[in-house]
Amino acid sequence: MSGWLLWMMLGCSSGGQEAFEAGIQATRGGEQRGAVDHFVQALQDGGRHPATYHGLGNALYRNGHIGEAIAAWRRGMSLAPRNGDIAANLERAQRQCLDSIEPPQTHRPAFFWQSALSARESGLLSSAALAAGLVIAVVARIRRARSGRQQPRRAAGWTAVMIALGALLGASTWDVLQQRNGAVVVVSQVAVRSTLGPEGVDLFVLHEGAQVGTGDQAQRHTLITLSDGRKGWVSSSALISTDPSRQFPLDSLPGR
């Protein structure tokens, strides 16, 4: 079974299922604007899952909204890093963008598994490893109390390994969540300024679909950073966050 079908069944089970299914039907009927509304409604109803973001990105892309589509697909990829369908869509859309900019880093070489595991998956594995270490330690202690013998070195070794593994995966999970501070430009072009206020100057221009890292926010502006080290301030209304936990802004959608 493909990853898409799996997420269709599992992704919307906890919320937004009715709206998600309506979005699928609208997509099949060629009603892309209606599909966008349905998928956004699914997100608002709690169905923030890869399949929902996948469908939303598809509908936005077919409506010619490349920036919004990339933002939706980026959110889906952060929830399902191994989803080849979303990755292929992203690659195709990125080739149409005017700016040749590498997307912000989504995983670190030290945590190589981040490219394959979502934050949820690594968090679950971290909890499982820590729980296994605790169980091993408790069982070994009970056996020692009953037998009166010293705890076997093998049990102590496995306890240490599982706790270390759980801590490492926990640190990786936290790191992945911190790396969600990204955004996509969703206007035709926007000037990046050196600072806020009249003393600021235009540094360079970004176009629709450019993917950036985000930092401080002030006066309805956001400090953005590029993978090549450039940074500056842009209007927050020109961006959509790639964080899947954030609301997908309705005012940027077609027909709004």
Side-chain angles (χ1 to χ4, degrees), residues 70-139:
I70 290 176
W73 287 330
R74 275 292 170 199
R75 292 185 180 203
M77 282 296 293
S78 69
L79 296 173
R82 301 183 300 278
N83 191 308
D85 293 334
I86 301 179
N89 289 344
L90 267 174
E91 183 179 355
R92 179 178 59 181
Q94 287 168 176
R95 288 199 298 265
Q96 300 178 35
C97 298
L98 294 178
D99 300 313
S100 300
I101 301 173
E102 288 292 326
Q105 186 178 14
T106 57
H107 65 280
R108 304 185 192 280
F111 298 142
F112 59 88
W113 55 86
Q114 288 179 344
S115 61
L117 295 178
S118 67
R120 180 176 181 274
E121 290 169 334
S122 61
L124 289 173
L125 288 174
S126 173
S127 299
L130 291 172
L134 179 61
V135 169
I136 293 172
V138 170
V139 170

Side-chain angles (χ1 to χ4, degrees), residues 68-241:
E68 287 92 341
I70 290 176
W73 287 330
R74 275 292 170 199
R75 292 185 180 203
M77 282 296 293
S78 69
L79 296 173
R82 301 183 300 278
N83 191 308
D85 293 334
I86 301 179
N89 289 344
L90 267 174
E91 183 179 355
R92 179 178 59 181
Q94 287 168 176
R95 288 199 298 265
Q96 300 178 35
C97 298
L98 294 178
D99 300 313
S100 300
I101 301 173
E102 288 292 326
Q105 186 178 14
T106 57
H107 65 280
R108 304 185 192 280
F111 298 142
F112 59 88
W113 55 86
Q114 288 179 344
S115 61
L117 295 178
S118 67
R120 180 176 181 274
E121 290 169 334
S122 61
L124 289 173
L125 288 174
S126 173
S127 299
L130 291 172
L134 179 61
V135 169
I136 293 172
V138 170
V139 170
R141 182 176 291 274
I142 292 175
R143 288 182 175 178
R144 184 182 64 178
R146 289 179 175 178
S147 65
R149 293 181 296 179
Q150 194 67 20
Q151 182 180 4
R153 292 184 178 180
R154 184 172 59 180
W158 276 110
T159 298
V161 167
M162 299 309 293
I163 290 177
L165 178 60
L168 182 62
L169 288 169
S172 172
T173 302
W174 174 255
D175 184 66
V176 168
L177 293 175
Q178 294 300 108
Q179 291 182 60
R180 287 182 173 177
N181 295 328
V184 179
V185 175
V186 294
V187 295
S188 58
Q189 66 178 44
V190 61
V192 182
R193 297 181 61 80
S194 60
T195 188
L196 298 177
E199 67 275 14
V201 298
D202 291 352
L203 299 175
F204 52 92
V205 173
L206 291 177
H207 301 85
E208 183 178 9
Q211 299 175 58
V212 301
T214 58
D216 297 336
Q217 293 191 346
Q219 302 177 18
R220 292 179 292 183
H221 287 75
T222 300
L223 179 65
I224 60 123
T225 58
L226 303 184
S227 56
D228 59 12
R230 289 180 292 169
K231 63 174 58 178
W233 292 89
V234 301
S235 172
S236 299
S237 62
L239 306 172
I240 287 184
S241 171

